[in-house]
Amino acid sequence: MCRIPDQPANGPVTFTGERYATRGVSLLLDLQLQQLLWLLIDQIPPEKRDYLPTFKLTARFDMKRGILQHIVHQQAAPPFRLEVDFPCYRPVCCNLFVIDDSNGAATMLLTEEY
């Protein structure tokens, strides 16, 4: 696994310690996209974060903006859903989990690595 630099978190509840990405995530997603996914988690207030956020990454096409990376960020409890699109040359299509182990570490992994 590759260590991802810590992002500043808003509180002590979850996702505040060491952050890791599995080999599959490191090979498939560039570092900027990984950091964006961590940032999406950080934007949820700590008291409203689930221990298992999920991301679905797909490609879209828009006549004005061209090829887009589409991200659906969800969690079960409390319910949360956010969709983000941004232009990119090589969109990634995959599903990811981010697991907080409650011991100060969080790991981003592809669903097939679970």
Side-chain angles (χ1 to χ4, degrees):
M1 287 192 271
C2 297
R3 186 178 177 287
I4 304 297
D6 292 338
Q7 297 285 334
N10 298 328
V13 178
T14 57
F15 302 101
T16 58
E18 297 291 317
R19 294 179 172 187
Y20 298 93
T22 61
R23 179 181 302 267
V25 170
S26 297
L27 291 173
L28 189 61
L29 280 64
D30 65 36
L31 187 57
Q32 289 177 327
L33 183 54
Q34 291 175 47
Q35 290 174 332
L36 173 64
L37 299 178
W38 288 114
L39 180 63
L40 292 175
I41 293 170
D42 288 340
Q43 289 181 340
I44 299 173
E47 65 277 2
K48 294 184 179 182
R49 292 181 194 158
D50 190 3
Y51 76 99
L52 186 67
T54 63
F55 294 94
K56 182 175 183 176
L57 283 65
T58 56
R60 286 194 171 174
F61 180 76
D62 181 273
M63 292 297 287
K64 293 181 181 176
R65 296 171 62 196
I67 300 171
L68 304 173
Q69 177 69 66
H70 180 70
I71 300 171
V72 178
H73 174 202
Q74 298 184 102
Q75 66 180 37
F80 174 83
R81 182 180 171 97
L82 173 70
E83 294 191 37
V84 178
D85 288 319
F86 60 90
C88 75
Y89 292 108
R90 294 184 190 167
V92 177
C93 296
C94 67
N95 294 314
L96 302 157
F97 293 126
V98 180
I99 299 174
D100 183 83
D101 72 0
S102 71
N103 290 321
T107 304
M108 184 178 294
L109 63 154
L110 299 172
T111 54
E112 55 266 21
E113 295 178 306
Y114 182 70

